[in-house]
Amino acid sequence: MIGLLSTLWEVRRYAIGAVGGLLLFSALNALLWLPEAREEGRELERAAALKRSIEIIQERGRTNAEINALDDAGLCRELGGMFEDGQCR
């Protein structure tokens, strides 16, 4: 009987230790690791958005250069019209 009680006490100690470890892990996760992961995710998203914005601005600059290089007839053709008698139709 004493052996059984001793075994139950050991099991109880391990269970209490496991629950305590789980609570400690959950607290560390909620207080330390999760906020850092969220902030890192935000920083990555900001960097990706900034990179895409720069790409769009560069693309727009190339488009503007191409448009500025066109004469009136070329601009008319690019817009789908026909340039006749000095007018785009």
Side-chain angles (χ1 to χ4, degrees):
M1 184 72 170
I2 300 261
L4 179 62
L5 290 176
S6 177
T7 303
L8 289 174
W9 177 250
E10 288 295 319
V11 169
R12 184 175 164 196
R13 280 184 36 202
Y14 287 125
I16 291 170
V19 169
L22 180 62
L23 289 174
L24 178 62
F25 178 79
S26 296
L28 286 173
N29 186 38
L31 296 174
L32 298 176
W33 299 322
L34 190 58
E36 287 179 20
R38 285 183 179 148
E39 186 60 32
E40 184 178 341
R42 286 185 191 111
E43 289 173 10
L44 290 172
E45 189 64 29
R46 283 185 208 119
L50 179 60
K51 182 180 177 187
R52 181 64 184 138
S53 295
I54 291 170
E55 290 171 356
I56 289 170
I57 290 169
Q58 288 172 342
E59 184 179 326
R60 180 61 193 201
R62 286 189 294 272
T63 302
N64 286 346
E66 291 172 7
I67 290 171
N68 289 336
L70 293 173
D71 60 356
D72 289 342
L75 183 58
C76 182
R77 276 192 304 277
E78 289 296 321
L79 293 174
M82 294 182 56
F83 194 75
E84 296 176 352
D85 299 327
Q87 293 186 346
C88 187
R89 301 173 201 246

